[in-house]
Amino acid sequence: MSPVLPLRWRWLVLLLLSGMLGGVLHALHFPAGVLLGCMLTGILLSLQWGQMNLPKPFFMLAQAVLGCLMAQSMRPPALSKVLADWPLFLGINLLVIGAGGLLGWLLVRRKVLPGTTALWGIAPGAASAMVLMAESYGADARLVAFMQYTRVVLVTAVAAGVAHLAMVVTAMPATPPVPDPSTDLQHLYHLGATLLLILAATAAAQRWHIPAGGMVLALVGGTVLQALGVLVIELPAALLVLAYAVIGWSVGLRFTRDILLHAWQALPMVLAAIAALMGLGLVLALLLVLLAGVAPLTAYLATSPGGADSVVVIAATSAVDAGFVMAMQLVRFLMVLVLGPRVTAWLAKK
């Protein structure tokens, strides 16, 4: 066993290694390179030295930033597309959620994991919400976290790899050049308003204990205000990088040695279930390409079985129809958030 460094030194090592690995992946033009680098570094250091708890407000602030990023793409044309094609969005996401429920039921029947843990662990999307709610229904929250974040890691890594191989990666969004002082003041005003929305969404989510509330409230608020012409969302590159890093750490640092040892025997079946869910996403992406004329990479990212926050980052840093991807992920995220606990509890009783 390696000696455990003092906590402040562990955080310093986390920052340095994350910067190095994230920088290398970004230089290689990997979508979400910062997020992937921070996530992998978090996993390695958590397994080496034990769990390091990221302060919850940081995670909620990062989720609110990503909520604003999603809202930035949800302009009236994108919203009208969702309303016009609502059967498509609803049908695709019902299939993904239904497949997750079926796979969880099969894992429970085969007694791969104790109790109803597998049902909560395989639910696609809303990972943090599923982990929070699972324990109140008698499931092992540690194993639920293991299944949820293993899926998030695999989906994120595969989606980033597919986007990289597609050779359609674009530069990270950045604030455009400022032509004159009046425009400069305008950008500062919009940036201040965006930061105020992020803080308000985070505070409200903490106050009312809304799962993934920072992202949901910032997304809904930003979309509405933007559609009314009240707000123009400004997200500087530095703010996005910080949010990507926090999301990556929040996933990676949850992988403890105890959880992995406890879940080792179930790992093959868990990986098979995750692979089946990802395979369904690929089939649905092909259907979108053939029947709806959606671009292949856009369809793949849209049907990838979450985390929504990770897929949003990949979409934002790739040359895809970000509005379509974020709309599809948003619809599934909200459906899982609303229907997931009810459906899972019903299946658990059966």
Side-chain angles (χ1 to χ4, degrees):
M1 175 74 70
S2 301
V4 178
L5 290 176
L7 186 60
R8 64 179 181 275
W9 289 107
R10 281 186 275 167
W11 283 111
L12 181 60
V13 172
L14 178 71
L15 289 171
L16 291 174
L17 288 183
S18 297
M20 290 171 58
L21 185 54
V24 168
L25 291 175
H26 183 64
L28 293 173
H29 303 294
F30 262 86
V34 173
L35 183 146
L36 284 172
C38 293
M39 183 170 65
L40 293 173
T41 303
I43 292 173
L44 291 174
L45 295 191
S46 183
L47 295 179
Q48 180 70 17
W49 290 322
Q51 197 166 13
M52 297 163 61
N53 294 317
L54 190 72
K56 190 175 180 181
F58 289 178
F59 178 52
M60 298 181 75
L61 283 167
Q63 283 195 322
V65 171
L66 294 188
C68 286
L69 179 63
M70 295 173 76
Q72 198 174 41
S73 295
M74 297 303 293
R75 302 184 186 278
L79 292 174
S80 62
K81 184 173 180 59
V82 173
L83 293 175
D85 297 332
W86 69 264
L88 176 68
F89 283 82
L90 186 63
I92 291 288
N93 287 313
L94 280 176
L95 284 172
V96 175
I97 294 170
L102 177 61
L103 289 168
W105 180 79
L106 289 173
L107 290 174
V108 170
R109 293 284 292 176
R110 294 178 66 88
K111 298 182 179 179
V112 173
L113 291 170
T116 61
T117 298
L119 281 169
W120 296 98
I122 201 64
S128 56
M130 292 299 104
V131 173
L132 289 172
M133 295 174 182
E135 197 164 14
S136 62
Y137 283 88
D140 188 330
R142 297 175 308 161
L143 292 178
V144 172
F146 164 75
M147 287 187 68
Q148 284 286 346
Y149 288 100
T150 297
R151 175 178 54 78
V152 171
V153 169
L154 290 176
V155 169
T156 302
V158 171
V162 169
H164 179 63
L165 292 175
M167 301 298 290
V168 291
V169 181
T170 61
M172 184 174 295
T175 305
V178 181
D180 57 61
S182 63
T183 309
D184 191 11
L185 290 175
Q186 222 174 16
H187 278 284
L188 286 175
Y189 168 78
H190 293 316
L191 175 59
T194 303
L195 293 176
L196 185 61
L197 173 61
I198 291 169
L199 293 173
T202 303
Q206 280 190 301
R207 174 69 178 81
W208 291 305
H209 306 288
I210 304 172
M215 183 161 66
V216 173
L217 295 177
L219 169 60
V220 173
T223 301
V224 171
L225 293 174
Q226 187 173 243
L228 294 174
V230 176
L231 174 68
V232 175
I233 296 175
E234 286 282 348
L235 293 169
L239 182 62
L240 288 173
V241 167
L242 286 175
Y244 298 166
V246 171
I247 294 294
W249 290 329
S250 71
V251 174
L253 292 174
R254 291 173 184 262
F255 280 80
T256 65
R257 191 181 296 272
D258 289 341
I259 290 174
L260 290 179
L261 288 175
H262 195 65
W264 179 252
Q265 290 183 336
L267 185 60
M269 290 295 292
V270 169
L271 292 178
I274 293 171
L277 199 58
M278 293 171 67
L280 174 66
L282 181 59
V283 171
L284 293 175
L286 291 174
L287 290 176
L288 281 177
V289 172
L290 296 175
L291 301 179
V294 179
L297 184 57
T298 297
Y300 180 76
L301 292 178
T303 57
S304 292
D309 45 12
S310 303
V311 176
V312 163
V313 174
I314 296 170
T317 53
S318 303
V320 298
D321 184 347
F324 184 88
V325 174
M326 293 179 185
M328 185 70 78
Q329 290 289 336
L330 166 63
V331 171
R332 183 186 311 134
F333 178 80
L334 294 178
M335 288 174 66
V336 170
L337 205 60
V338 173
L339 299 177
R342 292 168 176 78
V343 172
T344 302
W346 180 78
L347 286 170
K349 290 177 183 177
K350 297 297 179 183

